[in-house]
mmCIF file of all heavy atoms in Angstrom:
data_model
loop_
_atom_site.group_PDB
_atom_site.id
_atom_site.type_symbol
_atom_site.label_atom_id
_atom_site.label_comp_id
_atom_site.label_asym_id
_atom_site.label_seq_id
_atom_site.Cartn_x
_atom_site.Cartn_y
_atom_site.Cartn_z
ATOM 1 N N LEU A 1080 108.683 121.092 87.717
ATOM 2 C CA LEU A 1080 107.609 121.181 86.733
ATOM 3 C C LEU A 1080 108.199 121.358 85.339
ATOM 4 O O LEU A 1080 109.346 121.783 85.180
ATOM 5 C CB LEU A 1080 106.689 122.345 87.091
ATOM 6 C CG LEU A 1080 105.305 122.397 86.432
ATOM 7 C CD1 LEU A 1080 104.477 121.191 86.816
ATOM 8 C CD2 LEU A 1080 104.595 123.688 86.842
ATOM 9 N N ASN A 1081 107.414 121.036 84.313
ATOM 10 C CA ASN A 1081 107.825 121.154 82.906
ATOM 11 C C ASN A 1081 109.134 120.415 82.632
ATOM 12 O O ASN A 1081 110.033 120.929 81.958
ATOM 13 C CB ASN A 1081 107.964 122.629 82.514
ATOM 14 C CG ASN A 1081 106.640 123.368 82.608
ATOM 15 O OD1 ASN A 1081 105.582 122.797 82.329
ATOM 16 N ND2 ASN A 1081 106.692 124.623 83.029
ATOM 17 N N ASP A 1082 109.217 119.228 83.177
ATOM 18 C CA ASP A 1082 110.392 118.393 82.975
ATOM 19 C C ASP A 1082 109.923 116.948 82.823
ATOM 20 O O ASP A 1082 108.745 116.644 83.021
ATOM 21 C CB ASP A 1082 111.354 118.528 84.150
ATOM 22 C CG ASP A 1082 112.750 118.012 83.815
ATOM 23 O OD1 ASP A 1082 112.960 117.627 82.640
ATOM 24 O OD2 ASP A 1082 113.598 117.983 84.718
ATOM 25 N N THR A 1083 110.834 116.058 82.483
ATOM 26 C CA THR A 1083 110.472 114.654 82.314
ATOM 27 C C THR A 1083 110.960 113.823 83.497
ATOM 28 O O THR A 1083 111.921 114.183 84.184
ATOM 29 C CB THR A 1083 111.088 114.081 81.024
ATOM 30 O OG1 THR A 1083 112.499 114.202 81.077
ATOM 31 C CG2 THR A 1083 110.538 114.804 79.804
ATOM 32 N N CYS A 1084 110.279 112.727 83.723
ATOM 33 C CA CYS A 1084 110.699 111.747 84.733
ATOM 34 C C CYS A 1084 110.530 110.360 84.134
ATOM 35 O O CYS A 1084 109.799 110.184 83.150
ATOM 36 C CB CYS A 1084 109.894 111.905 86.022
ATOM 37 S SG CYS A 1084 108.120 111.607 85.818
ATOM 38 N N GLU A 1085 111.187 109.391 84.729
ATOM 39 C CA GLU A 1085 111.145 108.033 84.200
ATOM 40 C C GLU A 1085 110.526 107.068 85.213
ATOM 41 O O GLU A 1085 111.105 106.822 86.273
ATOM 42 C CB GLU A 1085 112.552 107.550 83.835
ATOM 43 C CG GLU A 1085 113.072 108.143 82.544
ATOM 44 C CD GLU A 1085 114.390 107.516 82.130
ATOM 45 O OE1 GLU A 1085 115.109 106.994 83.010
ATOM 46 O OE2 GLU A 1085 114.697 107.548 80.927
ATOM 47 N N ALA A 1086 109.361 106.558 84.869
ATOM 48 C CA ALA A 1086 108.745 105.485 85.657
ATOM 49 C C ALA A 1086 109.164 104.155 85.036
ATOM 50 O O ALA A 1086 109.520 104.095 83.859
ATOM 51 C CB ALA A 1086 107.232 105.629 85.657
ATOM 52 N N ALA A 1087 109.132 103.107 85.828
ATOM 53 C CA ALA A 1087 109.591 101.805 85.331
ATOM 54 C C ALA A 1087 108.596 100.710 85.697
ATOM 55 O O ALA A 1087 107.938 100.760 86.736
ATOM 56 C CB ALA A 1087 110.963 101.478 85.912
ATOM 57 N N HIS A 1088 108.476 99.741 84.810
ATOM 58 C CA HIS A 1088 107.732 98.520 85.130
ATOM 59 C C HIS A 1088 108.553 97.342 84.624
ATOM 60 O O HIS A 1088 109.293 97.452 83.640
ATOM 61 C CB HIS A 1088 106.326 98.536 84.518
ATOM 62 C CG HIS A 1088 106.284 98.605 83.017
ATOM 63 N ND1 HIS A 1088 106.330 97.493 82.211
ATOM 64 C CD2 HIS A 1088 106.213 99.675 82.181
ATOM 65 C CE1 HIS A 1088 106.265 97.858 80.950
ATOM 66 N NE2 HIS A 1088 106.199 99.181 80.892
ATOM 67 N N PHE A 1089 108.459 96.217 85.313
ATOM 68 C CA PHE A 1089 109.293 95.083 84.953
ATOM 69 C C PHE A 1089 108.598 93.749 85.209
ATOM 70 O O PHE A 1089 107.588 93.679 85.925
ATOM 71 C CB PHE A 1089 110.626 95.127 85.718
ATOM 72 C CG PHE A 1089 110.488 94.906 87.201
ATOM 73 C CD1 PHE A 1089 110.676 93.657 87.744
ATOM 74 C CD2 PHE A 1089 110.194 95.967 88.049
ATOM 75 C CE1 PHE A 1089 110.563 93.448 89.112
ATOM 76 C CE2 PHE A 1089 110.077 95.770 89.414
ATOM 77 C CZ PHE A 1089 110.259 94.503 89.944
ATOM 78 N N GLY A 1090 109.167 92.714 84.593
ATOM 79 C CA GLY A 1090 108.671 91.362 84.775
ATOM 80 C C GLY A 1090 109.822 90.430 85.093
ATOM 81 O O GLY A 1090 110.823 90.838 85.685
ATOM 82 N N LEU A 1091 109.702 89.184 84.679
ATOM 83 C CA LEU A 1091 110.749 88.209 84.973
ATOM 84 C C LEU A 1091 111.969 88.379 84.079
ATOM 85 O O LEU A 1091 113.072 87.979 84.457
ATOM 86 C CB LEU A 1091 110.200 86.786 84.794
ATOM 87 C CG LEU A 1091 109.082 86.350 85.741
ATOM 88 C CD1 LEU A 1091 108.560 84.985 85.336
ATOM 89 C CD2 LEU A 1091 109.568 86.331 87.182
ATOM 90 N N TRP A 1092 111.776 88.969 82.904
ATOM 91 C CA TRP A 1092 112.843 88.959 81.914
ATOM 92 C C TRP A 1092 113.389 90.338 81.550
ATOM 93 O O TRP A 1092 114.536 90.450 81.146
ATOM 94 C CB TRP A 1092 112.359 88.279 80.626
ATOM 95 C CG TRP A 1092 111.641 87.012 80.877
ATOM 96 C CD1 TRP A 1092 110.294 86.800 80.808
ATOM 97 C CD2 TRP A 1092 112.199 85.759 81.274
ATOM 98 N NE1 TRP A 1092 109.990 85.503 81.122
ATOM 99 C CE2 TRP A 1092 111.132 84.836 81.406
ATOM 100 C CE3 TRP A 1092 113.511 85.331 81.516
ATOM 101 C CZ2 TRP A 1092 111.331 83.514 81.775
ATOM 102 C CZ3 TRP A 1092 113.706 84.010 81.875
ATOM 103 C CH2 TRP A 1092 112.635 83.114 82.010
ATOM 104 N N ARG A 1093 112.577 91.385 81.645
ATOM 105 C CA ARG A 1093 113.056 92.673 81.174
ATOM 106 C C ARG A 1093 112.473 93.836 81.966
ATOM 107 O O ARG A 1093 111.470 93.705 82.659
ATOM 108 C CB ARG A 1093 112.769 92.854 79.683
ATOM 109 C CG ARG A 1093 111.293 92.965 79.331
ATOM 110 C CD ARG A 1093 111.110 93.251 77.854
ATOM 111 N NE ARG A 1093 109.709 93.499 77.544
ATOM 112 C CZ ARG A 1093 109.275 93.947 76.377
ATOM 113 N NH1 ARG A 1093 110.136 94.189 75.407
ATOM 114 N NH2 ARG A 1093 107.987 94.153 76.159
ATOM 115 N N LEU A 1094 113.119 94.964 81.797
ATOM 116 C CA LEU A 1094 112.733 96.221 82.436
ATOM 117 C C LEU A 1094 112.322 97.209 81.356
ATOM 118 O O LEU A 1094 112.972 97.320 80.321
ATOM 119 C CB LEU A 1094 113.917 96.791 83.220
ATOM 120 C CG LEU A 1094 113.836 98.263 83.639
ATOM 121 C CD1 LEU A 1094 112.829 98.415 84.766
ATOM 122 C CD2 LEU A 1094 115.201 98.755 84.064
ATOM 123 N N CYS A 1095 111.229 97.904 81.589
ATOM 124 C CA CYS A 1095 110.767 98.948 80.670
ATOM 125 C C CYS A 1095 110.707 100.277 81.415
ATOM 126 O O CYS A 1095 110.157 100.355 82.521
ATOM 127 C CB CYS A 1095 109.386 98.623 80.108
ATOM 128 S SG CYS A 1095 109.362 97.202 78.996
ATOM 129 N N LYS A 1096 111.279 101.307 80.796
ATOM 130 C CA LYS A 1096 111.236 102.650 81.367
ATOM 131 C C LYS A 1096 110.407 103.542 80.453
ATOM 132 O O LYS A 1096 110.515 103.457 79.230
ATOM 133 C CB LYS A 1096 112.642 103.224 81.509
ATOM 134 C CG LYS A 1096 113.522 102.460 82.484
ATOM 135 C CD LYS A 1096 114.894 103.100 82.584
ATOM 136 C CE LYS A 1096 115.640 102.938 81.265
ATOM 137 N NZ LYS A 1096 116.999 103.533 81.335
ATOM 138 N N LYS A 1097 109.606 104.379 81.066
ATOM 139 C CA LYS A 1097 108.749 105.279 80.300
ATOM 140 C C LYS A 1097 109.026 106.719 80.714
ATOM 141 O O LYS A 1097 108.949 107.062 81.894
ATOM 142 C CB LYS A 1097 107.277 104.933 80.538
ATOM 143 C CG LYS A 1097 106.332 105.590 79.553
ATOM 144 C CD LYS A 1097 104.929 105.030 79.710
ATOM 145 C CE LYS A 1097 104.019 105.517 78.613
ATOM 146 N NZ LYS A 1097 102.645 104.977 78.761
ATOM 147 N N THR A 1098 109.385 107.534 79.725
ATOM 148 C CA THR A 1098 109.668 108.940 79.975
ATOM 149 C C THR A 1098 108.371 109.735 79.893
ATOM 150 O O THR A 1098 107.712 109.756 78.847
ATOM 151 C CB THR A 1098 110.671 109.485 78.940
ATOM 152 O OG1 THR A 1098 111.865 108.690 78.980
ATOM 153 C CG2 THR A 1098 111.031 110.929 79.244
ATOM 154 N N ILE A 1099 108.002 110.347 80.998
ATOM 155 C CA ILE A 1099 106.728 111.076 81.099
ATOM 156 C C ILE A 1099 107.003 112.554 81.325
ATOM 157 O O ILE A 1099 107.826 112.913 82.177
ATOM 158 C CB ILE A 1099 105.864 110.503 82.248
ATOM 159 C CG1 ILE A 1099 105.601 109.012 81.999
ATOM 160 C CG2 ILE A 1099 104.557 111.269 82.388
ATOM 161 C CD1 ILE A 1099 104.908 108.314 83.152
ATOM 162 N N TYR A 1100 106.325 113.386 80.568
ATOM 163 C CA TYR A 1100 106.480 114.837 80.717
ATOM 164 C C TYR A 1100 105.514 115.345 81.789
ATOM 165 O O TYR A 1100 104.310 115.079 81.746
ATOM 166 C CB TYR A 1100 106.207 115.538 79.389
ATOM 167 C CG TYR A 1100 106.461 117.028 79.417
ATOM 168 C CD1 TYR A 1100 107.762 117.533 79.414
ATOM 169 C CD2 TYR A 1100 105.397 117.936 79.465
ATOM 170 C CE1 TYR A 1100 108.000 118.896 79.446
ATOM 171 C CE2 TYR A 1100 105.628 119.302 79.503
ATOM 172 C CZ TYR A 1100 106.925 119.770 79.490
ATOM 173 O OH TYR A 1100 107.154 121.124 79.527
ATOM 174 N N ILE A 1101 106.060 116.077 82.763
ATOM 175 C CA ILE A 1101 105.264 116.573 83.881
ATOM 176 C C ILE A 1101 104.906 118.044 83.654
ATOM 177 O O ILE A 1101 105.787 118.886 83.480
ATOM 178 C CB ILE A 1101 106.038 116.439 85.213
ATOM 179 C CG1 ILE A 1101 106.429 114.974 85.449
ATOM 180 C CG2 ILE A 1101 105.202 116.974 86.371
ATOM 181 C CD1 ILE A 1101 105.269 114.030 85.559
ATOM 182 N N GLU A 1102 103.615 118.320 83.652
ATOM 183 C CA GLU A 1102 103.160 119.694 83.462
ATOM 184 C C GLU A 1102 102.093 120.109 84.482
ATOM 185 O O GLU A 1102 101.628 121.244 84.458
ATOM 186 C CB GLU A 1102 102.630 119.894 82.042
ATOM 187 C CG GLU A 1102 101.534 118.922 81.644
ATOM 188 C CD GLU A 1102 101.123 119.086 80.193
ATOM 189 O OE1 GLU A 1102 101.708 119.966 79.523
ATOM 190 O OE2 GLU A 1102 100.233 118.348 79.740
ATOM 191 N N GLU A 1103 101.726 119.199 85.367
ATOM 192 C CA GLU A 1103 100.760 119.530 86.410
ATOM 193 C C GLU A 1103 101.495 119.858 87.705
ATOM 194 O O GLU A 1103 102.340 119.097 88.161
ATOM 195 C CB GLU A 1103 99.792 118.357 86.635
ATOM 196 C CG GLU A 1103 98.896 118.072 85.443
ATOM 197 C CD GLU A 1103 97.903 116.966 85.738
ATOM 198 O OE1 GLU A 1103 97.880 116.507 86.906
ATOM 199 O OE2 GLU A 1103 97.164 116.576 84.829
ATOM 200 N N GLU A 1104 101.147 120.987 88.290
ATOM 201 C CA GLU A 1104 101.831 121.456 89.497
ATOM 202 C C GLU A 1104 101.591 120.525 90.682
ATOM 203 O O GLU A 1104 102.427 120.420 91.584
ATOM 204 C CB GLU A 1104 101.351 122.865 89.829
ATOM 205 C CG GLU A 1104 102.168 123.558 90.895
ATOM 206 C CD GLU A 1104 101.789 125.015 91.068
ATOM 207 O OE1 GLU A 1104 101.076 125.546 90.205
ATOM 208 O OE2 GLU A 1104 102.204 125.604 92.077
ATOM 209 N N GLU A 1105 100.461 119.827 90.682
ATOM 210 C CA GLU A 1105 100.125 118.935 91.796
ATOM 211 C C GLU A 1105 101.067 117.721 91.863
ATOM 212 O O GLU A 1105 101.133 117.037 92.880
ATOM 213 C CB GLU A 1105 98.688 118.439 91.654
ATOM 214 C CG GLU A 1105 97.655 119.558 91.730
ATOM 215 C CD GLU A 1105 96.244 119.034 91.516
ATOM 216 O OE1 GLU A 1105 96.117 117.838 91.188
ATOM 217 O OE2 GLU A 1105 95.287 119.807 91.672
ATOM 218 N N ALA A 1106 101.747 117.443 90.777
ATOM 219 C CA ALA A 1106 102.616 116.262 90.731
ATOM 220 C C ALA A 1106 103.935 116.467 91.474
ATOM 221 O O ALA A 1106 104.645 115.499 91.755
ATOM 222 C CB ALA A 1106 102.903 115.885 89.285
ATOM 223 N N ILE A 1107 104.291 117.693 91.809
ATOM 224 C CA ILE A 1107 105.556 117.978 92.483
ATOM 225 C C ILE A 1107 105.596 117.288 93.848
ATOM 226 O O ILE A 1107 104.670 117.400 94.655
ATOM 227 C CB ILE A 1107 105.765 119.496 92.663
ATOM 228 C CG1 ILE A 1107 105.757 120.203 91.306
ATOM 229 C CG2 ILE A 1107 107.065 119.773 93.397
ATOM 230 C CD1 ILE A 1107 106.873 119.788 90.393
ATOM 231 N N GLY A 1108 106.686 116.552 94.098
ATOM 232 C CA GLY A 1108 106.849 115.855 95.364
ATOM 233 C C GLY A 1108 106.208 114.486 95.411
ATOM 234 O O GLY A 1108 106.383 113.754 96.386
ATOM 235 N N LYS A 1109 105.469 114.141 94.354
ATOM 236 C CA LYS A 1109 104.823 112.830 94.298
ATOM 237 C C LYS A 1109 105.576 111.919 93.342
ATOM 238 O O LYS A 1109 106.570 112.294 92.746
ATOM 239 C CB LYS A 1109 103.358 112.982 93.867
ATOM 240 C CG LYS A 1109 102.509 113.797 94.834
ATOM 241 C CD LYS A 1109 101.081 113.883 94.345
ATOM 242 C CE LYS A 1109 100.207 114.695 95.306
ATOM 243 N NZ LYS A 1109 98.815 114.816 94.820
ATOM 244 N N GLY A 1110 105.064 110.721 93.173
ATOM 245 C CA GLY A 1110 105.702 109.767 92.279
ATOM 246 C C GLY A 1110 105.423 110.081 90.825
ATOM 247 O O GLY A 1110 104.371 110.637 90.473
ATOM 248 N N CYS A 1111 106.363 109.736 89.965
ATOM 249 C CA CYS A 1111 106.213 109.945 88.528
ATOM 250 C C CYS A 1111 105.127 109.020 87.991
ATOM 251 O O CYS A 1111 105.127 107.830 88.247
ATOM 252 C CB CYS A 1111 107.542 109.663 87.838
ATOM 253 S SG CYS A 1111 107.503 109.840 86.050
#
């Protein structure tokens, strides 16, 4: 909790990473 994680989305040409700050306790153990 209270940390960042990086989710990613991509297409044919490039990759994008998004740094998301996690502050909800329910998110622990789940996907970013």
Side-chain angles (χ1 to χ4, degrees):
L1080 196 62
N1081 297 325
D1082 197 4
T1083 59
C1084 63
E1085 284 187 336
H1088 62 87
F1089 68 96
L1091 296 174
W1092 314 105
R1093 67 176 186 171
L1094 164 73
C1095 292
K1096 296 181 293 181
K1097 193 171 188 180
T1098 303
I1099 302 173
Y1100 185 75
I1101 302 299
E1102 55 185 0
E1103 294 184 5
E1104 191 172 347
E1105 297 177 353
I1107 301 297
K1109 298 181 180 179
C1111 179

